[in-house]
Amino acid sequence: MNSEEVKIGVYICHCGGNISDKVDVEKVAEDAGNLPDVTVSRTYTFMCADPGQELIVEDIEKHGLNRIVVASCSPSLHETTFRSAVVRGGLNQFLYEHVNIREQVSWVHASTGEATAKATTLVRAAIARVRHHEPLSLIRVGATSRALVLGGGVAGLRAALDLAVYGLPVTIVEKSSRLGGQVAEFGTVFPTGESGAELVRTLVRDVSALEEITVLTGARVTGATGYVGNFTVMVEQERGDGSTEDLEIPAGAVIVATGSRPYEPDMGEFGFGQFPEVVTLPDFIQILNETRADGDLTVNGKMIRRAAFIHCVGSRQIEGIQKPKPGRPLNENCSRICCTATLKAESDLIEKFPGVFVYDLYRDIRTYGRNHEEIYERASRDGVSFLCYEPATPPVVTMAAPDDTGNLLITVKDNLTAGMEIEVAVDLVVLAVGMEPADVGPLAESLKLPAGADGFLQEVHPKLRPVEMAVAGVVLAGTCQSPRDIEESCASASAAAVKVAGLLTRGHVDLEPYVARVNADRCEGTGICLSQCEYDGALKIVESVIDGRAIRKAVVNEALCTGCGACVAVCPTRAIDINGWTLDQFEAMVDAMCADPVEVASD
Amino acid sequence: MSLRADPTLISEIERFGAADVSACFNCGNCTAICPLSKGETVFPRKVIRYLQLGLTEKLEASPEPWLCYYCGECSETCPREANPGEIMMATRRWLISRYDWTGIARKLYTSKVWEVGLTLAVSLFVVLLFVLFHGPMLTDRVSLNTFAPVKWVEYGDWIMAATLSFFLLTNAWRLRRFVMGDVRAGPSIYLSEISTFLSHAMTQKRWRECDHSRMHWLKHFLLVTGYATMLILIMVLLRWFQTDGWNVTSLFGYYATAVLLYVSADMMIGRLRKRHEIHRHSHPTDWMFLILLFLTSLTGILVHLLRMGGMPVPTYVMYVIHLAVAVPMLVVEVPFGKWAHLLYRPLVIYLVTVKAKAKSTVEATETVPVTT
Ligand SMILES: Cc1cc2nc3c(=O)[nH]c(=O)nc-3n(C[C@H](O)[C@H](O)[C@H](O)COP(=O)(O)OP(=O)(O)OC[C@H]3O[C@@H](n4cnc5c(N)ncnc54)[C@H](O)[C@@H]3O)c2cc1C
Ligand code: SF4
Ligand code: SF4
Ligand code: SF4
Ligand code: SF4
């Protein structure tokens, strides 16, 4: 701790009435004002508004404050706001402490007495802690000027192209033998009717023309280390002769674009695997594309005259109705593309083989995208017959009698016909399967990439930060994050590319200073801390010879340390601490809260 | 029991004039707007749904198509422009063909060759009868009753009426079976509701409930009074009506002719202009009917005028032409075509009330508390 006199400013926010309706803010401010080293203690209606922030700046100048505490809403909303006010007042931004008395106090307590006592206690603890704050600086590290794109589908290709245009070298790592992902396999794509293969060819041609982009196909990531700005990704690439080559690719940032794969129905789900006439939508699209218009449409040697498409297979699953596959969660989400893709496939079928009659069995029609509704209308006009089922009573597919008009019989309670049970005989059943995330592989484990309950990779915040992952330097593109169509996949890929370009074109990255630091005077070099650290390279023991004696000391690599604190807990000599979260601070906070408990006034 | 869907019904109903059954996406706007859809009988969406799925038995048992008077409000409202009103019209044509056990109605509706062929055949048969059996053709004065003695014409009328009634009534019997299904109603219920049948048959009063079509209802009502007047003049009063002099019945003849000419001409103009929803779509049989009706009235009044003008031969020739138009019109339209609806509509309304009454009687007896 430095020797200068500590002068603390405390600000209690009303948040309109959001806080002050439940918390007696004046009483909290009065209590704080009586604590040692507190020079100023105020309340204000809206601390985050300009006049509120100015209050802090002026008080710093007028009273020579050097520590600031604001008790207001959640730090995720306004911590940075107040930090910047502190900086404007001429202080280091880390001399600031934030207390959440809205989400954690006024919104969750019924009694004013209890809420006020809790707010008072929290503010006391913050004052105890802020007293120990020291000026810290962001950790600046150099960044590798290369991005690695994992997955060469449309999203990966789009992101790589954008990055190359910003002048950044890119390596695409694609596990299959060709680029383009799923889109390359569709005939034409909705809503434009362009050829999927052609779209992919355009992207691949542009990619090959740019020398910034290196493409590795038949390549598998085996592991990764490092941190934002300085990752190293281990790749094993197949060579033509069947052998493999190991590569280490340095990258400042990683774009994950591993895409998705179609849901594989369970054995017997709508007759799948049980009757050869039950196929998935992607399989059907392929069959349709491969059949000549002047030929007969056959599946497994049987001519198709009537076909039924069933929506929401493997999507929007409901507990108690569907069973999850072993090792997989129930997929409760809508896969978003299957409605439009199904309707398009139906029209394509009818328009290529006008004699075929098509039934569409849906739960809801969700043609949400721009120009998707036209595809629904087109299917209607083409004569598709729609039946609407309830999730609790899905269609049942059975074998038809040998003399029936089709091989399979579907029975379904149809909402559009007053819930009557309708029976349709068909030759083919197409299951509109949803999207499952592809296997991201060892990269996800090495870098600890978070995934949602549905298995899709997860962004920091679904609305405010939809592109970045919680692991700094890793961003998301395309359907590895959630089901989306080509347009949306490319949009997210371009956004990812901009994020990465913003990060890497500066040549360095700034990291938060909340990392471990070793007090060399106390460290005895036992290395117990090392045994607890989960992050490769964050901590090591360095031996040096001083005055002829070999001395062992723990040394932290600030860029790799995540500040988890595991090492702090085990050090026998209290030699290791986390910046801004020292053991001294924790003790001071506990003391402040327990020494002299705040009395709860009755309401 | 599940109902079997039959995808072939859509193309079948399209042959009866429905253009866009599959365009309907079942939103139900049409049912919401329809002024006549209420209570237990909601339409037209339900009917369209049965068509889309090909639920033939459900459709045959549906009274709803007959409860629609084609005011066209649904077609104006349909977001998919599926033309529900016209689909209901086509369904009525299809139903007429389903009630008809001879299969002739179906041929007439689905084949122009049949329609024109049968009309011409009956025409030629009438002409042939006159060529072979006409009476002496007096040329010094007009004597229609010598050329075509009223007694013989009357016999012909009755034979025709008996034959057509036979077909019409047997078809109506089948209609009853379809609509009633397995609901049993005793004769007393049938008798107690007979007034429903009569009042609807005379006035088509349900139609007035669509505000859109008051004018159409009025014209249609006039038309029916015209038919009825003519029917009575020909079937009952022919020996006075077909006079060589002048009889007071002629006054009624003038009224009927005026009404029939005016309304049929008005309807043809309407169909050409297509200003109202009801006239926007015309099936070939609609035209055939209007043309024959117009020509029948026109040739009828010409016979009268030529006779009054003292022109013997033209009068005789016009008389033959008149019958060569009128007879096929009746043969084709009464049991197999448009005219049948004059019976089917009130009959269905009547059966619906009978059925409801029968059901409520059954329920009442079934819910009698059991005492031990
Ligand atoms: C049946 C069906 C029809 C569709 N029709 C249309 C349509 O008409 N129009 C439309 O806009 N959208 C359509 N879509 C959606 C479209 O397929 C996706 O939006 C698009 O494929 C997303 O691209 P992507 O790059 O995110 O993923 P993908 O196309 O899945 O590409 C991912 C790539 O990453 C590779 N990869 C996966 N895992 C790894 C790994 N661990 N390491 C290295 N590489 C890996 C894969 O091999 C693949 O090449 C359809 C989807 C389906 C299922
Ligand atoms: S897009 Fe349609 S078919 Fe696919 S999951 Fe959603 S509602 Fe079901
Ligand atoms: S704080 Fe966590 S990551 Fe950092 S050195 Fe200690 S144990 Fe390792
Ligand atoms: S006919 Fe038109 S208005 Fe009626 S349900 Fe169908 S789409 Fe809707
Ligand atoms: S035409 Fe008129 S009466 Fe017939 S269904 Fe439509 S709205 Fe109802």
Side-chain angles (χ1 to χ4, degrees):
Chain A
M1 238 172 87
N2 53 20
S3 50
E4 127 200 70
E5 188 195 352
V6 170
K7 287 186 169 182
I8 305 171
V10 180
Y11 300 85
I12 318 290
C13 184
H14 295 230
C15 194
N18 267 302
I19 294 170
S20 54
D21 285 353
K22 263 279 121 54
V23 174
D24 184 344
V25 288
E26 297 303 340
K27 208 168 155 191
V28 178
E30 194 193 318
D31 181 88
N34 292 330
L35 294 175
D37 302 336
V38 176
T39 311
V40 174
S41 180
R42 305 178 185 281
T43 71
Y44 191 70
T45 335
F46 287 112
M47 280 307 293
C48 60
D50 283 349
Q53 294 185 41
E54 277 318 296
L55 224 57
I56 300 174
V57 178
E58 283 165 17
D59 283 351
I60 294 174
E61 285 163 3
K62 203 155 101 201
H63 302 284
L65 303 180
N66 51 21
R67 301 286 188 283
I68 301 296
V69 173
V70 177
S72 58
C73 53
S74 157
S76 64
L77 280 166
H78 280 308
E79 185 169 38
T80 42
T81 313
F82 299 127
R83 273 189 184 179
S84 64
V86 168
V87 170
R88 287 204 304 282
L91 295 181
N92 178 282
Q93 58 164 320
F94 296 101
L95 295 175
Y96 170 75
E97 184 63 21
H98 195 100
V99 192
N100 181 354
I101 57 165
R102 192 177 74 175
E103 284 82 347
Q104 291 177 0
V105 180
S106 66
W107 280 358
V108 290
H109 286 282
S111 142
T112 300
E114 283 175 5
T116 307
K118 181 172 173 186
T120 309
T121 309
L122 291 173
V123 170
R124 283 185 188 178
I127 293 168
R129 180 177 174 209
V130 82
R131 206 176 276 127
H132 297 268
H133 272 344
E134 293 161 59
L136 299 171
S137 13
L138 295 169
I139 301 162
R140 175 159 295 188
V141 291
T144 309
S145 171
R146 168 174 295 277
L148 183 133
V149 175
L150 189 66
V154 282
L157 293 172
R158 179 72 263 160
L161 276 174
D162 285 7
L163 283 169
V165 170
Y166 300 134
L168 279 168
V170 187
T171 303
I172 300 178
V173 179
E174 165 58 51
K175 80 171 169 195
S176 74
S177 57
R178 55 151 188 81
L179 292 174
Q182 301 181 67
V183 176
E185 289 161 20
F186 308 144
T188 55
V189 297
F190 67 74
T192 54
E194 289 157 286
S195 147
E198 192 54 45
L199 286 178
V200 166
R201 258 199 297 281
T202 312
L203 286 171
V204 172
R205 193 179 52 224
D206 294 351
V207 162
S208 353
L210 290 166
E211 57 184 21
E212 282 91 345
I213 305 178
T214 314
V215 177
L216 306 176
T217 50
R220 219 170 58 81
V221 169
T222 53
T225 57
Y227 51 91
V228 56
N230 296 281
F231 293 107
T232 306
V233 181
M234 276 67 80
V235 174
E236 180 186 277
Q237 190 185 17
E238 289 163 20
R239 280 194 301 223
D241 58 6
S243 65
T244 58
E245 183 182 359
D246 291 327
L247 307 165
E248 273 193 10
I249 300 161
V254 175
I255 295 184
V256 185
T258 46
S260 52
R261 57 171 178 226
Y263 167 84
E264 164 105 358
D266 254 354
M267 179 71 188
E269 190 174 0
F270 299 107
F272 186 80
Q274 196 178 355
F275 310 117
E277 302 89 346
V278 180
V279 301
T280 65
L281 180 62
D283 288 343
F284 172 75
I285 292 175
Q286 207 141 29
I287 294 170
L288 185 64
N289 287 339
E290 283 164 8
T291 313
R292 289 164 42 134
D294 56 3
D296 284 337
L297 182 68
T298 58
V299 171
N300 293 305
K302 287 178 191 153
M303 166 106 161
I304 306 304
R305 287 187 198 81
R306 293 174 191 184
F309 290 68
I310 301 178
H311 286 241
C312 299
V313 179
S315 311
R316 307 176 68 199
Q317 294 180 316
I318 297 174
E319 198 160 353
I321 298 175
Q322 278 97 4
K323 281 198 302 277
K325 286 202 282 185
R328 292 268 312 145
L330 211 57
N331 181 13
E332 294 175 353
N333 292 324
C334 166
S335 292
R336 298 174 85 241
I337 54 91
C338 16
C339 269
T340 312
T342 301
L343 294 162
K344 175 178 177 293
E346 290 166 355
S347 277
D348 287 349
L349 166 60
I350 295 173
E351 287 166 22
K352 196 163 177 182
F353 298 100
V356 178
F357 193 87
V358 173
Y359 290 101
D360 180 296
L361 286 73
Y362 69 91
R363 269 170 66 181
D364 298 285
I365 299 281
R366 295 185 166 176
T367 44
Y368 66 95
R370 187 171 56 167
N371 300 331
H372 290 200
E373 186 69 6
E374 281 78 350
I375 292 162
Y376 178 20
E377 183 158 349
R378 179 173 143 224
S380 270
R381 300 263 180 220
D382 280 341
V384 172
S385 183
F386 291 90
L387 293 102
C388 176
Y389 68 92
E390 283 293 325
T393 49
V396 176
V397 181
T398 52
M399 179 103 89
D403 58 344
D404 210 328
T405 39
N407 305 318
L408 297 175
L409 204 60
I410 304 180
T411 326
V412 60
K413 276 201 163 73
D414 178 30
N415 271 346
L416 301 177
T417 320
M420 293 178 201
E421 190 168 277
I422 308 287
E423 221 176 64
V424 297
V426 293
D427 309 306
L428 175 71
V429 173
V430 181
L431 305 181
V433 291
M435 274 190 190
E436 279 182 356
D439 184 11
V440 184
L443 183 88
E445 285 114 59
S446 301
L447 296 184
K448 305 201 165 40
L449 303 181
D454 55 3
F456 285 96
L457 293 175
Q458 206 167 34
E459 61 290 310
V460 176
H461 189 285
K463 301 203 184 305
L464 303 178
R465 289 173 70 189
V467 178
E468 300 141 278
M469 297 201 83
V471 180
V474 183
V475 295
L476 295 166
T479 52
C480 62
Q481 187 182 0
S482 70
R484 43 189 74 177
D485 67 6
I486 299 170
E487 179 186 335
E488 294 159 335
S489 297
C490 285
S492 73
S494 288
V498 172
K499 279 283 167 201
V500 168
L503 194 67
L504 298 186
T505 44
R506 263 180 286 156
H508 61 79
V509 289
D510 289 327
L511 310 174
E512 288 268 305
Y514 299 127
V515 293
R517 65 151 187 247
V518 177
N519 182 336
D521 294 345
R522 287 190 183 171
C523 177
E524 294 177 352
T526 56
I528 301 179
C529 51
L530 213 68
S531 66
Q532 293 301 311
C533 180
E534 283 198 35
Y535 296 88
D536 284 351
L539 202 56
K540 64 181 175 211
I541 298 291
V542 176
E543 273 190 21
S544 50
V545 181
I546 295 175
D547 298 341
R549 279 194 308 135
I551 300 177
R552 289 160 51 90
K553 298 277 179 207
V555 175
V556 176
N557 180 335
E558 296 190 325
L560 293 178
C561 170
T562 61
C564 72
C567 50
V568 179
V570 297
C571 181
T573 58
R574 287 185 70 150
I576 196 159
D577 250 324
I578 305 293
N579 281 332
W581 297 90
T582 61
L583 282 177
D584 287 349
Q585 286 181 308
F586 281 108
E587 280 166 6
M589 287 164 82
V590 174
D591 284 347
M593 289 200 266
C594 306
D596 181 17
V598 181
E599 261 182 50
V600 178
S602 57
D603 291 335
Chain B
M1 244 304 278
S2 33
L3 298 159
R4 177 51 81 94
D6 172 13
T8 59
L9 186 65
I10 294 182
S11 47
E12 167 80 355
I13 203 78
E14 279 168 358
R15 301 182 67 188
F16 287 80
D20 243 344
V21 178
S22 42
C24 160
F25 62 0
N26 284 284
C27 67
N29 274 315
C30 48
T31 299
I33 198 90
C34 173
L36 300 182
S37 163
K38 56 187 89 164
E40 296 270 295
T41 47
V42 285
F43 55 94
R45 192 203 69 91
K46 187 167 87 178
V47 173
I48 300 171
R49 187 65 194 151
Y50 290 164
L51 285 170
Q52 286 181 330
L53 288 185
L55 305 180
T56 308
E57 285 168 30
K58 280 270 164 198
L59 272 173
E60 285 170 344
S62 295
E64 285 86 0
W66 297 110
L67 304 178
C68 155
Y69 283 85
Y70 208 163
C71 63
E73 281 188 55
C74 54
S75 293
E76 286 165 15
T77 316
C78 172
R80 277 294 178 97
E81 297 179 356
N83 246 314
E86 186 58 22
I87 296 176
M88 292 296 271
M89 183 72 223
T91 309
R92 288 191 286 276
R93 294 185 194 117
W94 177 81
L95 279 174
I96 290 177
S97 83
R98 299 298 289 187
Y99 304 149
D100 173 37
W101 54 271
T102 64
I104 295 173
R106 186 170 192 285
K107 293 264 190 274
L108 292 176
Y109 276 124
T110 56
S111 150
K112 280 185 201 154
V113 174
W114 257 85
E115 188 191 3
V116 177
L118 186 68
T119 312
L120 280 181
V122 179
S123 265
L124 285 177
F125 176 70
V126 171
V127 173
L128 200 67
L129 280 183
F130 275 100
V131 170
L132 296 178
F133 302 114
H134 70 82
M137 290 173 68
L138 302 186
T139 49
D140 52 339
R141 62 190 161 86
V142 184
S143 175
L144 200 50
N145 274 313
T146 324
F147 173 72
V150 72
K151 194 172 70 180
W152 292 106
V153 178
E154 227 164 14
Y155 289 153
D157 268 358
W158 292 339
I159 293 170
M160 183 174 74
T163 320
L164 298 189
S165 301
F166 170 71
F167 285 121
L168 184 63
L169 293 176
T170 46
N171 287 347
W173 184 251
R174 280 165 58 86
L175 177 159
R176 190 203 67 91
R177 278 223 319 259
F178 282 138
V179 172
M180 293 300 285
D182 45 18
V183 175
R184 306 227 159 272
S188 62
I189 298 181
Y190 277 104
L191 275 177
S192 68
E193 286 298 324
I194 200 83
S195 62
T196 310
F197 174 73
L198 291 177
S199 70
H200 280 277
M202 309 260 229
T203 62
Q204 306 256 334
K205 63 183 177 187
R206 230 183 108 86
W207 197 358
R208 273 186 310 180
E209 288 168 37
C210 349
D211 330 316
H212 244 54
S213 17
R214 282 295 176 95
M215 259 333 265
H216 293 304
W217 170 81
L218 190 66
K219 286 173 188 170
H220 194 272
F221 181 73
L222 282 178
L223 193 68
V224 174
T225 61
Y227 292 150
T229 313
M230 267 305 174
L231 199 71
I232 295 169
L233 289 176
I234 288 164
M235 304 302 285
V236 187
L237 305 173
L238 193 69
R239 62 192 64 182
W240 293 279
F241 186 50
Q242 182 175 314
T243 168
D244 285 325
W246 197 86
N247 186 280
V248 68
T249 54
S250 296
L251 285 180
F252 291 97
Y254 293 148
Y255 167 75
T257 307
V259 164
L260 294 177
L261 274 179
Y262 166 69
V263 178
S264 58
D266 181 74
M267 285 179 173
M268 284 197 278
I269 292 167
R271 280 190 187 273
L272 285 174
R273 287 209 189 133
K274 307 186 182 212
R275 198 170 298 152
H276 298 285
E277 205 51 57
I278 187 172
H279 291 145
R280 210 152 279 167
H281 309 272
S282 300
H283 190 263
T285 53
D286 296 329
W287 280 113
M288 181 62 107
F289 168 62
L290 285 176
I291 291 168
L292 291 180
L293 182 63
F294 183 78
L295 286 182
T296 303
S297 320
L298 185 69
T299 51
I301 196 70
L302 282 178
V303 171
H304 182 74
L305 293 178
L306 291 171
R307 183 168 64 77
M308 299 304 270
M311 290 183 262
V313 177
T315 305
Y316 306 147
V317 172
M318 190 52 70
Y319 184 81
V320 176
I321 294 176
H322 176 61
L323 289 190
V325 179
V327 174
M329 175 181 75
L330 294 171
V331 169
V332 170
E333 300 293 345
V334 172
F336 309 118
K338 240 190 150 111
W339 272 43
H341 79 242
L342 289 178
L343 173 65
Y344 293 165
R345 277 188 194 284
L347 184 59
V348 166
I349 297 174
Y350 166 63
L351 291 174
V352 168
T353 46
V354 168
K355 194 171 172 179
K357 206 162 178 183
K359 271 192 186 163
S360 66
T361 332
V362 171
E363 271 161 27
T365 39
E366 275 171 359
T367 52
V368 167
V370 186
T371 44
T372 46

